[in-house]
Amino acid sequence: MADRYELPNKILGIGRGHPLIGPLYTKMTTPRGRNINLKSAREIFGSLSQTSQFKVALHMTSSSGGTDKLSDWLTKAGITNDIAQNTYYDFMCSEAVIPGATLNTVEDKGGRQGIVETMPTQRVFSPVSLTFYVDNEYKILRLFEEWMNFINPVYGGSGAYDQRGIGFGDSKNRNDFHRMRYPDEYKRIISIVKFERNFAVNPAIDGDLQSVPSVTYRLLEAYPSSLTAIPLTYEGSTITKCTVEFTYSRYVYEHHRGELINLDEALRKTR
């Protein structure tokens, strides 16, 4: 009987239409052979990704030159006039999702007799929902309220209402109406970073992603399209959260290899 470690071609599979399955199990320790070296179960399942290691960056920076109308609007509302507070907004995100995409397909019937083939025609990017903790000054909630107010401002008899930091509280006339702004004025890039704890260089100070093994998803031309209702109750007090759905044109992702900690070497140093 041939040694299974002497048959790498059967393990890897060769030939189109005949890909082989490979080993049906793996050992806790690394099985070593002369021609192939499979990882152990401890190595495979000991380095799985954790859902709790992520960060969302809204990139809400104040505008000093007056070229960014959205930033000016939020600054006048008293939301983004503190640079440090703008960074805190990113850490208020309690739940996020890695964006997904779908390929719309079309069926080709009759191109080959008896065969129905499907081919992709369009790539569709699904909206992304982000959930944030609401602070006791309601700034994170007002951030998205005012962002949507900027997209769809209220107009009165003398034109658009100015930003006074009260959320259009003075626009209650029956003849008031809404208008949409140009998309370039309210769309932003939003970043979702997925990382792990086993990085060798601490990125907490400057946020250098090049030193951290991570993947960053950039939502291009994103804007809040839905702010879900927030339930309130006297039965059991919990932290208030708001969920915002973002629509965007497409996303790209950036993979940073970074520098990983060698767990075996770290354990040896602690002994």
Side-chain angles (χ1 to χ4, degrees):
M1 182 177 179
D3 189 341
R4 63 178 180 274
Y5 302 124
E6 296 178 357
L7 302 174
N9 288 338
K10 287 189 176 182
I11 292 179
L12 299 177
I14 56 174
R16 183 180 179 182
H18 299 279
L20 297 182
I21 303 301
L24 299 181
Y25 66 92
T26 182
K27 295 182 178 180
M28 286 301 297
T29 57
T30 304
R32 300 181 181 276
R34 288 174 291 179
N35 297 322
I36 191 167
N37 186 12
L38 300 177
K39 287 186 176 181
S40 66
R42 183 173 58 184
E43 292 176 306
I44 296 173
F45 299 107
S47 57
L48 300 181
S49 176
Q50 302 295 314
T51 59
S52 59
Q53 303 300 311
F54 72 94
K55 182 188 177 184
V56 172
L58 298 174
H59 306 295
M60 286 295 163
T61 56
S62 299
S63 173
S64 57
T67 57
D68 190 338
K69 294 183 179 180
L70 174 58
S71 293
D72 289 343
W73 179 274
L74 297 175
T75 300
K76 291 178 181 178
I79 299 174
T80 60
N81 51 350
D82 186 348
I83 297 178
Q85 182 67 47
N86 297 345
T87 303
Y88 297 153
Y89 292 145
D90 297 343
F91 292 101
M92 299 293 279
C93 184
S94 62
E95 297 178 27
V97 295
I98 293 178
T102 303
L103 290 176
N104 286 346
T105 59
V106 62
E107 290 187 351
D108 178 22
K109 299 179 180 180
R112 298 170 60 190
Q113 185 175 5
I115 301 295
V116 178
E117 295 181 293
T118 60
M119 292 168 287
T121 59
Q122 182 184 17
R123 189 175 183 181
V124 180
F125 298 91
S126 304
V128 166
S129 293
L130 304 177
T131 301
F132 295 82
Y133 295 120
V134 178
D135 59 291
N136 59 4
E137 294 182 351
Y138 311 110
K139 284 191 174 183
I140 194 69
L141 179 60
R142 293 182 59 236
L143 169 63
F144 301 114
E145 289 277 11
E146 290 297 342
W147 193 344
M148 299 182 77
N149 284 344
F150 178 79
I151 295 174
N152 187 213
V154 179
Y155 285 76
S158 58
Y161 284 91
D162 294 331
Q163 173 59 271
R164 296 175 55 188
I166 59 176
F168 289 141
D170 55 353
S171 58
K172 301 182 181 71
N173 298 321
R174 294 182 59 186
N175 295 328
D176 292 343
F177 60 94
H178 290 270
R179 279 184 179 174
M180 294 292 181
R181 294 184 187 267
Y182 289 105
D184 289 344
E185 296 181 357
Y186 57 78
K187 291 184 176 181
R188 282 289 184 276
I189 293 178
I190 295 178
S191 303
I192 302 175
V193 185
K194 182 68 187 77
F195 59 91
E196 307 304 323
R197 289 187 175 183
N198 57 339
F199 43 78
V201 181
N202 189 352
I205 299 177
D206 55 5
D208 181 15
L209 292 179
Q210 300 297 331
S211 63
V212 182
S214 61
V215 58
T216 301
Y217 287 81
R218 310 280 191 183
L219 310 183
L220 306 181
E221 299 183 342
Y223 62 93
S225 57
S226 175
L227 178 60
T228 61
I230 302 175
L232 303 175
T233 178
Y234 284 112
E235 298 179 2
S237 181
T238 59
I239 297 176
T240 305
K241 299 179 182 180
C242 66
T243 300
V244 187
E245 186 176 89
F246 288 89
T247 302
Y248 54 98
S249 299
R250 61 189 178 93
Y251 72 78
V252 296
Y253 81 91
E254 305 165 7
H255 180 218
H256 306 284
R257 293 185 180 275
E259 184 178 352
L260 286 171
I261 293 177
N262 188 316
L263 297 180
D264 293 334
E265 182 179 349
L267 288 174
R268 284 195 298 269
K269 290 182 178 179
T270 57
R271 292 173 181 174

